[in-house]
Amino acid sequence: MVNPAYPALDWAFSKSATTTDGAAANPMTFYNDKVGTGYNWLASPNATLWGEAKTLNDPCPPGYRVPETGAWEDLISGRQYIDGVSVWDGTNYGMTYTHGEQTAWYPAQGYRNYSSGAIVGLRSSTGGSGAYWSAETSSVKSYYLFFRSKLSSSGSINNELDMNRSYGYTVRCCKE
């Protein structure tokens, strides 16, 4: 949420691509270019901004990095939640992940839509959804973890989906 006392710091949406320097200079602008880039925010798509090793463009703090999809492998059984491991929480709109004696909370925070910049996937008719980028890429797309409360053709939870990089998904950092 942006402080209304500072209107110059409001969110903007641009139907154009940019460079990493352009995005850094305009952090309140959500970029998307539909022409020739596979719905990418970069004018010259780059599949190596994040990777198995920490990179300069990795948004995570030092000592952490964007995870690979394998980090979520034991959350899922055939695109369904696993009893006692991954549980949808309809009261708090999110997923609790239990591994041994530790638990982690993944909020169903929604995401920014590539075509409009609008925040979607919140507590709507689907009950909410969460989407978290991974470091793995596929051509001009990237893989991500997706989960929601309701069952659909892609399941309730899935880490094998790839999507256009213009989507504004969350990043859940993991230790290097």
Side-chain angles (χ1 to χ4, degrees), residues 47-135:
T48 63
L49 291 179
W50 308 336
E52 292 178 28
K54 183 76 171 173
T55 67
L56 178 63
N57 293 298
D58 187 312
C60 297
Y64 292 82
R65 65 177 179 81
V66 177
E68 298 173 29
T69 57
W72 301 305
E73 214 166 73
D74 63 344
L75 289 170
I76 302 159
S77 175
R79 298 183 180 170
Q80 300 301 312
Y81 294 106
I82 302 172
D83 287 339
V85 175
S86 52
V87 179
W88 174 259
D89 181 343
T91 303
N92 296 309
Y93 298 98
M95 177 185 60
T96 301
Y97 168 45
T98 303
H99 183 78
E101 298 292 317
Q102 298 181 343
T103 61
W105 172 248
Y106 283 78
Q109 76 297 339
Y111 53 90
R112 287 200 175 270
N113 186 287
Y114 75 96
S115 65
S116 66
I119 298 175
V120 296
L122 296 173
R123 300 175 209 169
S124 62
S125 61
T126 63
S129 63
Y132 292 82
W133 282 124
S134 81

Side-chain angles (χ1 to χ4, degrees), residues 71 106 126 144 148 158:
Y106 283 78
T126 63
Y144 67 104
R148 71 172 126 212
N158 194 339

